[in-house]
Amino acid sequence: MTFSRKLKSRLPIRLQKFLSDTVRFFRELPFLAEDLEKSRNLKNEITLSRSAAQRIWYFAVPLHSNLGDQAQSICIQEWLTNYFPNAAVLEIPTRTFLRAPFLFFRWIGKAIHPNDYIVFQSGYTMTDFHPDEKLRRLILTKYRENPTLIFPQTILYQSEKSKNQSAKLFHQCPRLLLLARDKVSLKEAEFLCPDHAAYWPDMVSGWIGRYSFRGERKGILFCVRQDGESLLSPNDRKDILQLLEIFAPVEICGTEASFQLKNPKSEIESLIYRFSHAKLIVTDRYHGMLFALAAGVPVIALPVNGHKVFSGAQELAALYAGYVQTAVNKKQLEEQTQKLLNSQLPLLQKRETFFQDLDQLVKTFL
């Protein structure tokens, strides 16, 4: 954790939120023109959708270049197409919506029907300061009676007040299903909306076993995050790199694209293809684990701030025996690296009924 993040964490929650909102405001200023254009397009799409028999309101669609979030969105869109083949799907990004929520409420109010589904993007968004949390509360306060599906979440609130506010709102939504992607988050989900919470793995899990790669596998990929969730200092990363180089050549990569994404799926598949040439992935990124498994490569997970990666690793280790290990220190990292580089693991099998099982879960609750 960086010094600035440590300092911020000691401040009162309200002040932390103010600082987060202020930083976000200035960071998003360059995208104002893009969001205005997107708003105009969405207004037209909403107007045209009024003739559709059913609409799916898909909120918090990611605009940023995080390939993990983009992969989740692609998987969600695939499921929506499968489950609602004749529905009009309206994809509304958080950033665009929060520019002018009053306008969107006016447009939505003229088009939404009681049986239109509301769905929310998955990820680590159920936390105090995430903009998706603000969006979710605004939408559910307005449309409590619509069937609502919140795709698999990591849930971690710093403030009991924030958690209780969400719980109070969820209790007023009788047709809501909250999916949690690890057992720690499931416990929180069961508090937030009793009898309307369930476990479901991250949507990108549906890609495991889908791809088949040929060619020699060699070396180690160190897939590392560079944001506030990281617990690794620059010196920690250097030490890990030196340790891994004892065993094999190492390359460093991430799951963030360094440019505006024009074809997210192509970029994600290129990264998975790159992963497929390694014998081992070491990562502190949640979707670094999932991309490794999609590539059929064993992975060692490193801890981050919060339970997200390790809780996810535990679920994946149970589903894909031998492929996922964790390391909290250099000794464990050394042991697991040696173990996995010398392992002969069976090919990962695709979960053929992934979509159908999710269909049944949604039908059961909604």
Side-chain angles (χ1 to χ4, degrees), residues 212-258:
S212 178
F213 298 102
R214 294 180 180 179
E216 183 183 5
R217 296 189 173 187
K218 57 184 180 180
I220 300 170
L221 266 183
F222 183 23
C223 179
V224 63
R225 68 185 318 125
Q226 303 280 351
D227 58 20
E229 287 183 46
S230 176
L231 290 177
L232 301 176
S233 68
N235 284 336
D236 292 332
R237 295 187 189 103
K238 183 179 178 181
D239 290 345
I240 289 172
L241 187 62
Q242 290 175 343
L243 186 155
L244 296 175
E245 285 175 336
I246 295 171
F247 297 94
V250 183
E251 291 183 26
I252 298 177
C253 70
T255 60
E256 291 275 354
S258 58

Side-chain angles (χ1 to χ4, degrees), residues 55-122:
R55 279 146 302 279
I56 311 302
W57 302 87
Y58 175 15
F59 289 101
V61 178
L63 295 175
H64 48 258
S65 58
N66 181 302
L67 296 179
D69 289 341
Q70 291 291 341
Q72 292 173 84
S73 182
I74 291 166
C75 294
I76 289 170
Q77 291 164 356
E78 288 178 351
W79 181 80
L80 291 175
T81 300
N82 181 75
Y83 194 74
F84 302 101
N86 300 314
V89 179
L90 298 154
E91 300 178 6
I92 304 174
T94 298
R95 193 185 72 207
T96 307
F97 180 92
L98 292 179
R99 295 285 191 190
F102 59 94
L103 286 178
F104 275 97
F105 279 131
R106 184 187 305 169
W107 301 335
I108 294 169
K110 293 178 180 179
I112 195 167
H113 291 177
N115 287 322
D116 285 354
Y117 269 66
I118 292 172
V119 301
F120 291 98
Q121 167 76 7
S122 58

Side-chain angles (χ1 to χ4, degrees), residues 13 41 89 102 120 125 159 180 203 236 259 272 315 337 354:
I13 289 290
N41 292 337
V89 179
F102 59 94
F120 291 98
T125 72
S159 162
M203 294 296 288
D236 292 332
F259 47 85
I272 293 173
E315 305 304 326
T337 298
F354 188 85

Side-chain angles (χ1 to χ4, degrees), residues 124-141:
Y124 181 19
T125 72
M126 298 196 73
T127 186
D128 305 71
F129 312 128
H130 202 289
D132 288 7
E133 178 77 357
K134 181 177 181 179
L135 167 68
R136 201 161 32 238
R137 290 182 182 182
L138 286 171
I139 294 298
L140 292 182
T141 299

